[in-house]
Amino acid sequence: MKAAEIMARLEQKYGHEKEYLQAVHEVLESIEEVYNQHPEFEKAKIVERIVEPDRIFTFRVTWVDDNGNVQTNLGYRVQFNSAIGPYKGGLRFHKAVTPSMLKFLGFEQTFKNALTTLPMGGAKGGSDFDPVGKSDAEIMRFCQAFMLELWNCIGPEQDVPAGDVGVGGREIGYLYGMYTKLARRYNVGVLTGKGANWGGSILRPEATGYGALYFTEHVLNRAGKQLAGSTIAISGFGNVAWGAAQKATALGAKVIAVSGPDGVCHVPAGLTNEMIDYMLVLRASNNNVVAPMAEKFEGVTFIPGKKAWSIKCDIALPCAFQNELNGDDAKELLANGTWCCCEVSNMGCTPEAIKAFQDAGILFAPGKAVNAGGVATSGLEMTQNAMHISWAGKEVDEKLHFIMESIHEACVKYGQRPDGTVDYVKGANIAGFMKVAQAMLEQGTI
Ligand code: 2IT
């Protein structure tokens, strides 16, 4: 295979799907050399098949807002690849959701899920519904209307959605309530990220952020560096940023910045536990702003219109959205002495930013490895549901530790450079790809 030729064909076919093309390009570039050492992959046209989703459901979602106005949104579920297990991946509610965004996320999810060591295929779904400014009742009605269409496409052995941007515990509750009403099936394994009293796994809310910090620790330790005593800038203030801030602080680092679409909160002394808890309040308010943190707490300065990357830090942890850290941001971070960036959001860095980090020789790890603890703990939730049991937090945390260590080892195995350093982008892409490709090969031409 020639990555450039395949990209040219995809660009012709899906020219307007920028995020999807960006995600595919990064993977193909990483795997080209290894792929070409496997003529059996070429014969089975694995790469041509793996870049296309198995199927995409698109549906209209109509609901009534608090003023009695009828609203219409679009809903989607992209079932990307089921070679290693049932479809698995989150739902994103955000005004900018398009098929391109969900195809990129479903594609990434396929390789990420393969890295977790658990048998889960890749999927993603969501809607262009904008939760900002909506009331709780509106969120509930939207979730119910969304599930009215989705329920028939999912199931514990077919496709298991979870949360993502704009979908947290509250939304999963409303979605699950409507699912059981429509399907008359009471298998809690149909969604993950549920409440702890009705089939949810202890530690699932924290898992993405915790796992990201466990992975970051491995990256640092391998390079002879320490997390304790370092300063960290985090973008976002949602579920993922919250878990990351909690664990980073517990491990002795100082989180000196959190940000939102409105600007960045600079906290030179580091976030306190009260501030970290307050991130949840900010998220639940549906206002999508971080500025109130500076009004509520001493020692917090709000800088409007600025990103977290404008704050001098040792480690940058993008925890919000794709392409939230661009080439200019990378240059600013490097100029300020940043020596590590671990993507916690999916595709949080633009290709220019990744190149800048890699050219500068600083530590960089991609989202599909760093944030895989979230979906891995979803996988553990599925196991608990299938066994009708609930593990203690300690047990889930131990398994999460083990999984993040395994992912790190896989990245080192496939990404080690001749000088002993690790290209985590290449390592994660090859490790994930090899597993899915091998499974597709063994299952025949389907
Ligand atoms: O991007 C992700 O891995 C998620 N949003 C979590 C997916 C899941 O099924 O837990």
Side-chain angles (χ1 to χ4, degrees):
M1 103 66 179
K2 286 206 176 61
E5 278 174 18
I6 293 179
M7 281 317 299
R9 279 206 296 277
L10 288 176
E11 268 154 30
Q12 224 172 23
K13 216 163 142 187
Y14 304 116
H16 57 292
E17 298 190 348
K18 300 289 180 222
E19 299 103 333
Y20 164 72
L21 293 170
Q22 183 185 336
V24 173
H25 183 250
E26 185 204 286
V27 171
L28 296 194
E29 203 175 39
S30 294
I31 63 159
E32 185 167 12
E33 196 185 329
V34 171
Y35 188 90
N36 289 332
Q37 291 160 6
H38 289 266
E40 69 278 19
F41 288 169
E42 182 74 28
K43 187 157 176 281
K45 295 277 189 285
I46 294 292
V47 80
E48 285 82 349
R49 290 158 59 189
I50 214 166
V51 297
E52 298 282 2
D54 289 354
R55 65 192 68 80
I56 303 179
F57 298 104
T58 305
F59 44 90
R60 173 174 54 77
V61 184
T62 295
W63 55 286
V64 181
D65 70 19
D66 286 349
N67 298 321
N69 295 321
V70 175
Q71 301 281 351
T72 294
N73 290 101
L74 286 175
Y76 309 92
R77 185 70 178 166
V78 179
Q79 295 183 335
F80 216 101
N81 190 295
S82 63
I84 67 166
Y87 301 104
K88 181 83 195 88
L91 297 171
R92 176 173 290 193
F93 292 169
H94 189 281
K95 62 178 191 284
V97 160
T98 57
S100 167
M101 196 191 292
L102 298 178
K103 277 174 70 180
F104 120 65
L105 289 162
F107 182 74
E108 292 273 300
Q109 198 80 44
T110 300
F111 303 105
K112 180 199 313 193
N113 292 4
L115 288 172
T116 64
T117 73
L118 304 173
M120 299 183 288
K124 206 83 189 191
S127 173
D128 60 359
F129 171 74
D130 183 5
V132 177
K134 299 293 188 298
S135 70
D136 191 68
E138 289 176 321
I139 301 261
M140 181 174 77
R141 286 197 296 278
F142 177 78
C143 288
Q144 291 174 338
F146 183 84
M147 189 51 88
L148 199 53
E149 281 292 328
L150 184 70
W151 75 276
N152 225 352
C153 311
I154 61 174
E157 272 141 24
Q158 290 89 44
D159 184 351
V160 182
D164 192 80
V165 175
V167 178
R170 170 181 54 181
E171 290 76 14
I172 293 293
Y174 296 147
L175 290 164
Y176 181 73
M178 194 62 173
Y179 175 84
T180 54
K181 180 123 184 131
L182 290 164
R184 297 205 183 176
R185 290 188 205 115
Y186 306 95
N187 190 328
V188 288
V190 71
L191 292 167
T192 60
K194 299 178 293 294
N197 290 332
W198 42 282
S201 175
I202 293 173
L203 236 61
R204 175 63 189 90
E206 293 87 350
T208 311
Y210 280 22
L213 267 295
Y214 299 157
F215 192 90
T216 304
E217 270 208 309
H218 285 295
V219 171
L220 264 51
N221 292 345
R222 193 178 183 286
K225 305 227 177 224
Q226 293 296 324
L227 188 69
S230 65
T231 54
I232 299 186
I234 285 181
S235 62
F237 56 93
N239 168 262
V240 172
W242 165 76
Q246 234 188 70
K247 188 52 81 177
T249 308
L251 293 172
K254 226 175 6 172
V255 179
I256 55 162
V258 284
S259 66
D262 53 334
V264 59
C265 281
H266 185 204
V267 194
L271 289 180
T272 61
N273 289 334
E274 291 71 34
M275 292 174 193
I276 295 171
D277 287 346
Y278 188 65
M279 290 163 82
L280 295 179
V281 179
L282 286 175
R283 169 52 59 212
S285 76
N286 283 354
N287 290 330
N288 210 19
V289 288
V290 81
M293 186 174 281
E295 290 153 30
K296 190 165 168 63
F297 295 100
E298 296 274 323
V300 181
T301 310
F302 176 68
I303 311 162
K306 284 283 184 188
K307 293 185 181 183
W309 324 130
S310 63
I311 306 292
K312 180 179 164 55
C313 63
D314 296 321
I315 300 171
L317 297 180
C319 292
F321 213 62
Q322 72 265 7
N323 293 330
E324 56 173 312
L325 196 164
N326 62 31
D328 290 339
D329 299 325
K331 278 191 206 119
E332 189 168 6
L333 285 166
L334 289 167
N336 277 332
T338 296
W339 46 262
C340 174
C341 173
C342 285
E343 264 184 351
V344 192
S345 44
N346 292 307
M347 206 164 77
C349 296
T350 64
E352 295 75 29
I354 297 176
K355 186 169 184 316
F357 290 143
Q358 291 186 330
D359 286 352
I362 74 158
L363 299 169
F364 175 78
K368 62 170 81 66
V370 179
N371 74 29
V375 71
T377 307
S378 277
L380 300 177
E381 184 170 327
M382 288 166 70
T383 305
Q384 292 169 76
N385 293 160
M387 294 167 78
H388 302 282
I389 56 164
S390 175
W391 290 325
K394 185 167 173 285
E395 189 157 358
V396 178
D397 200 30
E398 277 167 8
K399 288 182 164 60
L400 176 61
H401 264 290
F402 174 78
I403 289 169
M404 298 318 293
E405 190 181 354
S406 306
I407 298 173
H408 184 261
E409 273 171 22
C411 290
V412 173
K413 177 176 170 193
Y414 288 105
Q416 191 159 349
R417 301 186 183 100
D419 68 359
T421 61
V422 180
D423 181 340
Y424 285 94
V425 176
K426 199 168 169 190
N429 284 332
I430 297 178
F433 176 83
M434 289 304 276
K435 195 168 161 185
V436 179
Q438 199 62 41
M440 287 173 72
L441 196 65
E442 288 166 14
Q443 291 169 24
T445 309
I446 46 163

